[in-house]
């Protein structure tokens, strides 16, 4: 019965109604055991089914919290198993395909590249949910969430943050006080509707008792209310006790309830259990160890009962209301299971878990299912236990569940492993801990290092040590670890089989050193001394190392042609992308080199390929990386709309855990917003995404400080700009970067000194920058340096330098910088008393500014044209120019024929977000359907 829960039912009906209307919501049901959380969820499921919704439901189990995705599998397995092959294929289409191998009972061969926090898992399950919701509105109901495994919790958190645009109602129930951050976040979500079922009133208790015992005396009803405190489950336990012991239900029996309370009502089931045959008790204890929903044959095997004895024992337990189900076996309530489990002596429990693991190991089950028992089992130094826990750790890591892998490996060390296996377990533990930012990883890797004298094994451990330091920004220490690994192999003289490992260590050291500070000079000297082999690269390590060599040339500002050639060899017609995927930073070294060298279109094509690869795999991390690196290229090309869309997409991935380049992305995006005449938004963007504390400074942060300086200059705050540029100078110097092509801090610094009337220092910086840019010879960087030199000069020298800057930039694809320079040339010409001659460069600057969507530049050219006597017409925003970057990107994909779902999957947004952008685009373009998009997206004529 559901008594005194009218308010809860109203809330549930509203969230279900909203979900059917396309507006998802979260309901968090909390309270102590027995208060009725499960019954509230059951009511939600009943009403969802009545409303024609699809219903997915699952229940957490104490033992299954060690089993990665155990709860998520409960949610989806039944639906996928029932689906016909074409339907299943459609449900697992697009990014949802990431969920397919994870929901299978098998183990993926290797972890998702670059996805050490399970974000691809959450993303795949999210899209499976979206695809299901397209069939019909969906209710996802989860009970006993406090026992959910970490990966399932992560998925539910991921889903809860994206409910608003989905026809999905998420109803969760949990006990308070577990102190699990993800659980606390879900149950305390500010967007959630919190339900806290109250204790039943005396009248409610009376109604619940009378439903089973209609002849109960009034005094007995009052005693039930007093003793139970209004807890519905405890009331039912009292009723079960009275029925089992055949109470007379009169006023005198009311006094007996105090004796029942003395035994504690929560253990009333144990009282009934003690009265049952030994076989029933043994079966109940076996089920308590195995966990609910175990098949009878498994519980019988653990309890040592023959099936002919186990079957009637199960029926006896159901009749005594200890079990609520016999197919599969399940206790009437989780509190009953806990009571039965806790009354088993600790030593006997530990032995039972070991025997349970042996029973499970005889079946073709995933190693994690067996490991869930072993983590509670007694240790005995058995090799098969270590092997099983190690296999479970591999499976957990492959699913992105590093926390579970760490638990399994800690338990393996407790067994303990045989001496010859200890180093292997310690290495695996360190590798699992590193992505979690757990500094114990270094301790365990050091211990693994102590337990082996084999140079190759030591080199592999040191490679893992270095990689464990990178996520926390400890690049200098990482570089030293990689160097030690190389030294270990050098002692042996090297073997052909070590070549790949040698290259991985050298490439990793080089990359860490470049992003670090202390080791950079030595690393650059070493890399520069490596002879560039003429043959094509054969391994990922070789490609990465060649990419690093190209990067060194770029940073030093020399041998531009060699850098371009090396970058192309490192890319190797996309082999680098196929090896590393879009998730790896190594993939983007060639595009960074080519962009810095002025080969912008080729660099953009590389980033496009990485985006396509990330979309195909459904990797949010790879998509963010590709958007970030393409943002740099789009900005240099002057495609501000596309650049802003890329920047927003990259920063959206911060919610997935993408943080390493977030500050750099915010800086590049802020500079684009400045050019679009959105100063306030640019400043807010920088305030929202500062470099993360404790992450360590790296060269990508230079873009953040450069943008901070440009914002300060736009706000007439030159001192603040110089402070930011000093940090930029420090970072570039630490990376060994003297070339202004990748990042130019000297030009804005020179302009800041001009604002401060410090002309000598401004000229000094401008001259130094121009000298470096001439040495490198890349047109965009040289054009900017010439423009800056012109702006700090005067008279005829200014005009000559600006004219040279224009001529230089005409050989580059950097049309925005050309527009900026044409504006300065036109302004200089006008101020020199030649207004008519100034109009031609100003008009061209305005046309290019409009083409680039550079509102700030267009406004300045209008002012200069007006000052020259021209009368530029105001340009009304129409056609594609009227769309926001996100609207334009969605409209372009729709014009190419992609469906709403395909667009959403491609851009890692919800289908409803796509529909909203399309609707806005239709309004602004004055069209009514997708058929008219292609024509409507033609560029608007320039006024």
């Amino acid at each position: 019965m559901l008594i005194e829960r009218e308010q809860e039912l109203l809330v549930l009906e509203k969230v279900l109604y909203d979900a059917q209307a396309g507006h998802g919501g979260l309901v968090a049901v909390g309270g102590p055991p027995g208060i009725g959380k499960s019954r509230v969820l059951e009511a939600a499921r009943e009403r969802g089914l009545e409303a024609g919704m699809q219903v997915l439901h699952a229940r957490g189990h104490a033992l299954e919290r060690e089993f990665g995705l155990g709860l998520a599998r409960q949610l989806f397995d039944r639906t996928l198993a029932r689906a016909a092959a074409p339907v299943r294929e459609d449900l697992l289409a697009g990014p949802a395909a990431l969920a397919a191998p994870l929901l299978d009972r098998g183990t993926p061969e290797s972890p998702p590249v670059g996805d050490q926090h399970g974000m691809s898992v959450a993303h795949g399950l999210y899209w499976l949910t979206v695809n299901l919701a397209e069939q019909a509105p969906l209710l996802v109901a989860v009970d006993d969430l406090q026992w959910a495994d970490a990966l399932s919790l992560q998925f539910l958190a991921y889903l809860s943050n994206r409910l608003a645009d989905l026809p999905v109602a998420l109803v969760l129930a949990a006990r308070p006080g577990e102190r699990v951050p993800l659980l606390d976040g879900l149950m305390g979500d500010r967007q959630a509707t919190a339900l806290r079922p109250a204790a039943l009133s005396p009248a409610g208790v009376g109604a619940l008792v009378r439903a089973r015992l209609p002849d109960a005396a009034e005094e007995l009803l009052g005693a039930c209310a007093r003793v139970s405190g209004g807890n519905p489950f405890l009331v039912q336990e009292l009723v079960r006790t009275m029925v089992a012991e055949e109470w007379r239900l009169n006023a005198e029996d009311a006094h007996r309830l105090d004796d029942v309370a003395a035994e504690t009502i929560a253990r009333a089931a144990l009282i009934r259990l003690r009265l049952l045959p030994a076989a029933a008790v043994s079966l109940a204890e076996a089920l308590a160890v195995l966990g609910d929903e175990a098949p009878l044959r498994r519980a019988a095997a653990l309890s040592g009962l023959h099936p002919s004895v186990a079957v009637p024992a199960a029926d006896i337990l159901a009749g005594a209301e200890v079990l609520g189900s016999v197919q599969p076996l399940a206790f009437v309530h989780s509190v009953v299971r806990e009571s039965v489990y806790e009354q088993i002596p600790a030593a006997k429990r530990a032995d039972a878990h070991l025997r349970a693991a042996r029973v499970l190991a005889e079946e073709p089950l995933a190693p994690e299912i067996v490991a869930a028992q072993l983590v509670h089992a007694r240790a005995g130094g058995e090799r098969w236990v270590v092997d099983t826990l190690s296999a479970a750790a591999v499976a957990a890591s492959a699913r992105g569940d590093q926390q579970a892998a760490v638990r399994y490996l800690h338990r393996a060390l407790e067994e303990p492993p045989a001496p010859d296996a200890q180093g292997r377990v310690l290495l695996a533990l360190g590798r699992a801990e590193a992505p979690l930012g757990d500094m114990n990883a270094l301790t365990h890797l050091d211990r693994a290092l102590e337990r082996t004298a084999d140079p190759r094994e030591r080199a592999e451990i040191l490679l893992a040590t270095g990689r464990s330091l990178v996520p926390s920004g400890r690049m200098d220490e990482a570089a030293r670890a990689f160097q030690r690994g190389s030294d270990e192999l050098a002692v042996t003289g090297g073997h052909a089989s070590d070549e790949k490992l040698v290259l991985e260590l050298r490439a990793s050291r080089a990359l860490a050193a470049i992003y670090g500070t202390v080791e950079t000079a030595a690393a650059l000297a070493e890399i520069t001394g490596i002879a560039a082999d003429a043959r094509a690269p054969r391994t990922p390590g070789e490609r990465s190392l060649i990419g690093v060599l190209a990067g060194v040339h770029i940073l030093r500002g020399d041998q531009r042609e060699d850098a371009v050639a090396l970058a192309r060899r490192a890319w190797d017609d996309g082999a680098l992308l196929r090896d590393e995927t879009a998730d790896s930073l190594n993939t983007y070294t060639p595009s960074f080199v080519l962009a810095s060298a002025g080969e912008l279109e080729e660099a953009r094509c590389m980033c496009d390929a990485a985006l396509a690869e990330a979309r195909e795999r459904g990797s949010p991390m790879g998509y963010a990386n590709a958007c970030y690196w393409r943002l740099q290229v789009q900005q240099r090309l002057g495609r501000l709309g596309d650049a802003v869309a890329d920047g927003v997409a990259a920063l959206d991935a911060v919610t997935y855990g993408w943080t390493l380049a977030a500050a750099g992305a915010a800086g590049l995006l802020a500079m684009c917003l400045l050019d679009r005449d959105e100063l306030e938004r640019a400043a807010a963007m920088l305030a929202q995404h500062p470099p993360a504390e404790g992450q360590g400074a790296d060269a990508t942060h230079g873009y953040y400080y450069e943008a901070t300086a440009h914002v300060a200059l736009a706000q007439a705050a030159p001192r603040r700009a110089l402070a930011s540029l000093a940090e930029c100078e420090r970072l570039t110097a630490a990376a060994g970067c003297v070339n202004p092509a990748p990042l130019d801090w000297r030009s804005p610094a020179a302009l800041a000194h001009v604002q401060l009337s410090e002309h000598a220092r401004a000229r000094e910086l401008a001259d130094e920058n121009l000298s470096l840019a001439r040495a490198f010879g890349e047109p965009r960087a040289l054009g900017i340096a010439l423009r800056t030199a012109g702006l700090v000069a005067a008279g005829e020298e200014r005009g000559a330098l600006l004219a040279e800057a224009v001529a230089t930039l005409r050989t580059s694809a950097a049309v925005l910088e050309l527009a900026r320079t044409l504006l300065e040339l036109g302004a200089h010409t006008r101020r020199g008393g030649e207004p008519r001659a100034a109009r031609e460069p100003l008009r061209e600057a305005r046309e290019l500014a409009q083409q680039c969507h550079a509102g700030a530049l267009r406004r300045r050219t209008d002012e200069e044209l007006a000052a020259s006597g021209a009368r530029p017409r105001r340009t009304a925003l129409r056609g594609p120019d009227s769309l926001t970057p996100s609207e334009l990107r969605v409209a372009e994909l729709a014009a190419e024929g992609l469906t709403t779902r395909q667009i959403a999957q491609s851009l890692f947004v919800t289908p409803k977000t796509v529909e909203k952008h399309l609707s806005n685009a239709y309004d602004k373009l004055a069209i009514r359907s997708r058929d008219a998009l292609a024509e409507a997206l033609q560029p608007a004529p320039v006024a």
Side-chain angles (χ1 to χ4, degrees):
M1 296 179 64
L2 196 59
I3 296 174
E4 297 183 347
R5 297 292 182 252
E6 292 79 10
Q7 185 60 41
E8 285 83 353
L9 291 177
L10 285 174
V11 169
L12 292 173
E13 287 169 358
K14 182 180 185 306
V15 76
L16 294 178
Y17 176 83
D18 288 345
Q20 292 173 76
H23 308 293
L26 168 62
V27 177
V29 187
I35 201 63
K37 302 183 297 296
S38 298
R39 187 65 189 90
V40 169
L41 256 68
E42 187 179 343
R45 290 164 51 195
E46 292 167 356
R47 282 156 176 76
L49 290 170
E50 290 170 3
M53 300 179 73
Q54 299 179 92
V55 176
L56 305 181
H57 61 91
R59 176 182 172 190
H61 299 291
L63 294 176
E64 284 196 4
R65 72 193 312 173
E66 307 293 343
F67 180 31
L69 289 176
L71 192 138
R73 285 172 171 169
Q74 284 188 56
L75 286 173
F76 295 107
D77 273 354
R78 288 182 291 266
T79 298
L80 291 176
R82 290 195 301 262
V87 175
R88 179 184 170 92
E89 184 178 344
D90 186 58
L91 290 175
L92 293 172
L98 290 167
L102 303 169
L103 293 174
D104 289 342
R105 294 297 173 179
T107 300
E109 293 181 2
S110 60
V113 179
D115 180 35
Q116 301 296 333
H117 296 280
M119 282 300 166
S120 288
V121 176
H123 188 68
L125 292 172
Y126 163 76
W127 273 102
L128 175 56
T129 306
V130 172
N131 293 346
L132 273 168
E134 280 194 350
Q135 298 180 339
L138 185 65
L139 166 64
V140 179
V142 180
D143 198 2
D144 283 330
L145 191 65
Q146 72 276 0
W147 290 323
D149 59 280
L151 271 185
S152 295
L153 266 180
Q154 190 167 9
F155 154 61
L156 291 171
Y158 189 99
L159 175 62
S160 70
N161 289 329
R162 293 159 177 81
L163 282 174
D165 293 336
L166 295 178
V168 178
L170 181 59
V171 184
L172 308 175
R175 299 181 190 178
E178 289 295 314
R179 295 184 181 178
V180 177
L182 266 178
L183 176 63
D184 291 344
L186 272 168
M187 301 303 292
D189 192 318
R190 287 180 297 177
Q191 303 300 317
T193 301
L195 290 183
R196 301 292 181 267
L200 298 180
S201 68
V205 172
L208 191 57
V209 174
R210 282 262 167 84
R212 183 80 179 271
L213 304 173
D215 298 328
E218 287 293 333
E219 293 86 349
L220 189 62
L221 300 181
C224 284
R226 184 187 72 254
V227 171
S228 70
N231 184 295
F233 173 71
L234 300 185
V235 173
Q236 292 179 82
E237 281 299 302
L238 289 174
V239 171
R240 290 182 182 113
T241 299
M242 289 187 280
V243 170
E245 297 181 6
E246 299 180 347
W247 288 22
R248 290 174 295 174
L249 310 178
N250 56 21
E252 294 178 7
D253 277 345
H255 300 295
R256 297 178 63 188
L257 285 176
D258 290 326
D259 296 330
V260 174
E263 293 273 356
T264 72
I265 299 175
R267 293 180 180 268
L270 294 180
I271 299 173
R272 300 197 301 278
L273 190 63
R274 294 189 191 109
L275 303 175
L276 301 181
V281 175
S282 179
L283 188 66
E285 291 180 347
L287 179 60
V289 169
L290 287 167
D292 276 350
E293 300 192 11
L296 179 59
R297 58 175 173 73
R298 196 177 291 165
L302 178 58
S303 60
L305 299 176
H306 191 273
S308 62
V309 178
V311 170
D315 290 334
I316 291 171
L317 289 169
E321 297 189 77
V322 174
L323 297 186
S325 167
V326 293
Q327 290 184 343
L329 298 178
F331 286 98
V332 70
H333 195 282
S334 58
V335 171
V336 175
R337 191 205 72 81
E338 291 172 57
S339 298
V340 174
Y341 182 79
E342 289 169 4
Q343 60 86 36
I344 304 172
K348 183 180 178 182
R349 274 204 311 262
D351 184 68
H353 280 298
L354 182 60
R355 289 187 289 108
R358 289 197 177 102
V359 168
L360 293 171
E362 293 176 0
E363 301 183 33
L365 299 172
E368 290 168 277
I369 296 176
V370 183
Q373 294 290 332
L374 290 174
V375 293
H376 301 288
R378 62 171 173 80
E382 299 188 46
R383 182 177 288 274
W384 78 271
V385 172
V386 175
D387 291 344
T388 301
L389 288 164
S390 297
V394 171
S397 292
R399 294 188 173 94
D401 193 353
Q402 303 300 326
Q403 292 177 337
V406 168
R407 287 195 296 272
Y408 298 145
L409 292 166
H410 271 297
R411 173 62 184 82
L413 287 176
E414 292 171 4
E415 188 62 12
D420 63 338
Q422 282 190 357
R424 173 173 54 82
V425 175
L426 285 164
L427 173 59
L429 177 57
R431 283 175 168 164
E433 289 171 326
L436 300 174
D438 188 342
M439 287 300 102
N440 287 321
L442 299 176
T443 301
H444 292 128
L445 290 169
D446 283 344
R447 287 174 57 192
L449 198 63
E450 292 169 0
R451 282 162 174 75
T452 180
D454 181 83
R456 181 176 175 83
E457 289 181 8
R458 291 176 64 82
E460 287 179 340
I461 293 169
L462 287 162
L463 178 63
T465 300
R467 287 175 173 171
S468 74
L469 291 161
V470 167
S472 60
R474 297 167 65 177
M475 299 297 186
D476 299 327
E477 294 171 71
R480 286 191 282 271
F482 295 134
Q483 182 60 57
R484 285 180 61 197
S486 295
D487 293 343
E488 290 284 347
L489 292 175
V491 170
T492 67
H495 299 91
S497 61
D498 296 336
E499 185 177 7
K500 182 178 177 181
L501 181 57
V502 168
L503 288 168
E504 283 189 57
L505 285 161
R506 294 173 78 179
S508 297
R509 180 180 187 274
L511 284 170
I514 288 171
Y515 280 102
T517 55
V518 177
E519 292 289 312
T520 301
L524 293 180
E526 177 192 345
I527 296 167
T528 305
I530 298 172
D533 197 327
R535 72 179 189 279
R538 297 168 300 172
T539 67
E542 284 180 304
R543 294 186 187 97
S544 296
L545 193 56
I546 290 170
V548 172
L549 281 168
V552 169
H553 288 316
I554 289 297
L555 295 177
R556 289 191 160 184
D558 57 10
Q559 304 176 46
R560 177 180 162 218
E561 293 77 10
D562 288 348
V564 169
L566 286 168
R568 288 170 178 157
R569 284 181 52 213
W571 181 251
D572 197 12
D573 291 326
L576 180 65
L577 173 61
R578 292 189 291 275
D579 289 335
E580 300 279 351
T581 79
D583 295 354
S584 171
L585 291 180
N586 290 345
T587 298
Y588 303 95
T589 306
S591 63
F592 165 74
V593 169
L594 291 174
S596 300
E599 304 294 336
L600 294 172
E601 288 295 345
E602 190 175 353
R604 186 179 62 80
C605 288
M606 289 179 176
C607 293
D608 287 346
L611 269 172
E613 193 274 342
R615 285 170 171 163
E616 184 178 347
R617 286 188 301 108
S619 168
M621 296 300 185
Y623 183 75
N625 283 338
C627 283
Y628 166 67
W629 292 97
R630 193 172 71 168
L631 161 61
Q632 300 181 45
V633 181
Q634 304 279 35
Q635 184 209 23
R636 289 167 181 261
L637 284 166
R639 297 176 179 173
L640 294 181
D642 289 335
V644 169
D646 278 337
V648 170
L651 289 174
D652 280 348
V654 170
T655 61
Y656 308 138
W658 184 82
T659 58
L660 190 61
L668 290 164
L669 178 54
M671 286 190 281
C672 293
L673 293 171
L674 267 181
D675 283 329
R676 287 173 62 90
D677 213 12
E678 299 180 51
L679 174 59
E680 289 185 5
R681 188 179 168 198
M685 185 64 62
L686 293 168
Q688 187 178 353
H689 297 283
E693 291 185 14
Q695 188 184 69
D698 63 54
T700 65
H701 293 169
Y703 296 121
Y704 177 87
Y705 293 111
E706 180 188 13
T708 304
H710 281 288
V711 168
L713 288 175
Q715 295 170 334
R719 294 289 183 199
R720 183 151 46 90
L722 287 172
S724 292
L725 292 168
E727 186 65 17
C728 198
E729 178 186 8
R730 184 186 70 79
L731 289 171
T732 54
C737 179
V738 296
N739 186 0
L743 193 153
D744 178 11
W745 61 268
R746 294 176 185 83
S747 288
L751 298 178
H753 283 292
V754 168
Q755 284 191 17
L756 293 167
S757 298
E758 297 170 353
H759 298 288
R761 178 56 178 157
R763 186 63 181 262
E764 180 184 349
L765 285 169
D767 288 348
E768 180 184 2
N769 205 42
L770 182 55
S771 176
L772 291 168
R774 285 195 192 280
F776 186 59
E778 190 273 311
R780 177 182 176 273
L782 179 54
I784 293 172
L786 285 164
R787 184 180 69 229
T788 303
L791 291 175
V792 302
E796 292 183 3
E797 184 185 9
R798 170 177 286 201
L801 286 167
L802 290 174
E804 185 183 353
V806 167
T808 300
L809 286 166
R810 289 196 188 281
T811 67
S812 165
V815 293
L816 180 58
E817 296 304 332
L818 175 59
R820 224 187 297 273
T821 309
L822 284 165
L823 167 62
E824 297 297 350
L825 178 61
H828 169 71
T829 304
R830 179 190 65 78
R831 295 186 192 108
E834 299 181 67
R836 188 178 298 275
R839 292 171 192 167
E840 183 178 349
L842 289 172
R843 285 195 176 105
E844 185 182 359
R846 187 182 190 279
E847 180 176 343
L848 292 174
Q850 184 168 328
Q851 176 184 321
C852 294
H853 301 279
L857 192 57
R858 189 173 60 194
R859 175 170 49 79
R860 280 197 60 206
T861 57
D862 284 347
E863 293 169 357
E864 284 293 337
L865 280 167
S868 73
R871 294 185 179 180
R873 289 183 300 164
R874 292 190 61 183
T875 304
L877 283 180
R878 62 188 187 280
D881 290 344
S882 65
L883 304 181
T884 68
S886 297
E887 290 166 354
L888 179 60
R889 180 158 292 181
V890 167
E892 288 172 340
L893 291 174
E896 293 174 14
L898 273 68
T899 65
T900 296
R901 187 205 286 189
Q902 289 170 333
I903 297 171
Q905 292 170 349
S906 294
L907 300 181
F908 294 79
V909 296
T910 66
K912 194 158 187 177
T913 298
V914 172
E915 292 170 358
K916 179 181 177 182
H917 286 326
L918 275 177
S919 177
N920 291 341
Y922 292 164
D923 288 343
K924 293 178 180 180
L925 297 173
I927 60 175
R928 295 185 177 180
S929 71
R930 295 185 182 217
D931 296 337
L933 273 172
E935 182 178 351
L937 289 175
Q938 295 300 312
V942 177

